[in-house]
Amino acid sequence: MMSVLAAATLALSAVVAAPGDAADWQTDYGKALSATRADDRPLLVVLDDSTKTDAQVDEALLEGKGMNDDLLAAYQLCHVDVSTDYGKKVAKVFGATELPHTTIIDKTGQKILYKNRGDIDANQWKLALNTYKKGELVRQMTQPYTTYFRGEVSTPVQSSSNYVQPATTIPMSTPAVSTPGYCPSCQRNAGF
């Protein structure tokens, strides 16, 4: 009778832990960080308080179902409850003053790539997970180059009837140059 009960329990736990049914969330930050360094995947850390509903990430975002399964599969996952003593220590390390707190750490386990304090909606969640799923810093350059104008500027010509004639276009002898400016100090500080 005991062996039948043990076999049933084992079978049930295998079904519950089947891939694709639920994401495998680690509750120990140290173990999750070690796993990140070992398998070259970024670490997704979620800190929330199980005693307060307004300080929790939506449960649907944490489940590994549908599209969320593909997003979460790219990450080592760590979910820490800050209402515990251990959770309070982890929250202090992350400087989590506003909950829930979501952080993505690079695949080397050394740099924080993304941090969200407070509630996170499904769109923010998907955008963050898609952006950092390779575990690398994504550089977003707002202006990749500077445009310089090398030519003559025409001025409006006024007639005697106080009518302002629109500026005429004068062909440029030298076209506008669209190249990055070069300053060794600026390039060095920008990380290029």
Side-chain angles (χ1 to χ4, degrees):
M1 180 67 171
M2 290 300 273
S3 63
V4 172
L5 183 58
T9 305
L10 183 60
L12 183 60
S13 66
V15 169
V16 171
D21 285 349
D24 186 23
W25 289 90
Q26 176 69 253
T27 57
D28 186 320
Y29 171 67
K31 289 180 183 177
L33 187 60
S34 295
T36 290
R37 292 175 177 157
D39 76 355
D40 205 34
R41 287 192 301 172
L43 175 60
L44 172 62
V45 180
V46 175
L47 306 175
D48 60 13
D49 189 340
S50 65
T51 63
K52 300 176 184 174
T53 56
D54 63 332
Q56 296 177 14
V57 172
D58 184 11
E59 196 64 35
L61 298 178
L62 303 177
E63 293 177 355
K65 294 182 180 176
M67 181 186 290
N68 220 20
D69 184 38
D70 294 336
L71 293 172
L72 294 176
Y75 292 86
Q76 282 294 331
L77 305 172
C78 181
H79 187 194
V80 179
D81 182 4
V82 300
S83 66
T84 65
D85 289 336
Y86 175 74
K88 290 175 185 170
K89 291 177 186 176
V90 174
K92 186 176 180 180
V93 168
F94 278 94
T97 56
E98 190 176 342
L99 296 173
H101 184 94
T102 307
T103 302
I104 298 175
I105 300 174
D106 75 331
K107 61 186 177 183
T108 65
Q110 296 179 356
K111 295 180 184 175
I112 292 177
L113 302 176
Y114 172 82
K115 190 181 278 191
N116 184 70
R117 295 181 176 118
D119 198 24
I120 186 167
D121 66 25
N123 291 331
Q124 287 175 296
W125 180 262
K126 289 176 184 175
L127 179 63
L129 294 183
N130 274 321
T131 302
Y132 299 104
K133 66 184 173 188
K134 291 183 180 179
E136 299 170 350
L137 182 63
V138 177
R139 290 189 181 258
Q140 295 178 347
M141 298 180 72
T142 55
Q143 187 177 2
Y145 55 85
T146 306
T147 303
Y148 299 97
F149 176 74
R150 295 182 188 161
E152 297 179 16
V153 178
S154 61
T155 56
V157 178
Q158 287 187 340
S159 67
S160 59
S161 64
N162 291 335
Y163 172 77
V164 177
Q165 184 180 10
T168 56
T169 305
I170 301 173
M172 295 184 289
S173 59
T174 307
V177 178
S178 297
T179 58
Y182 182 76
C183 169
S185 179
C186 295
Q187 299 298 318
R188 190 171 29 252
N189 291 337
F192 292 109

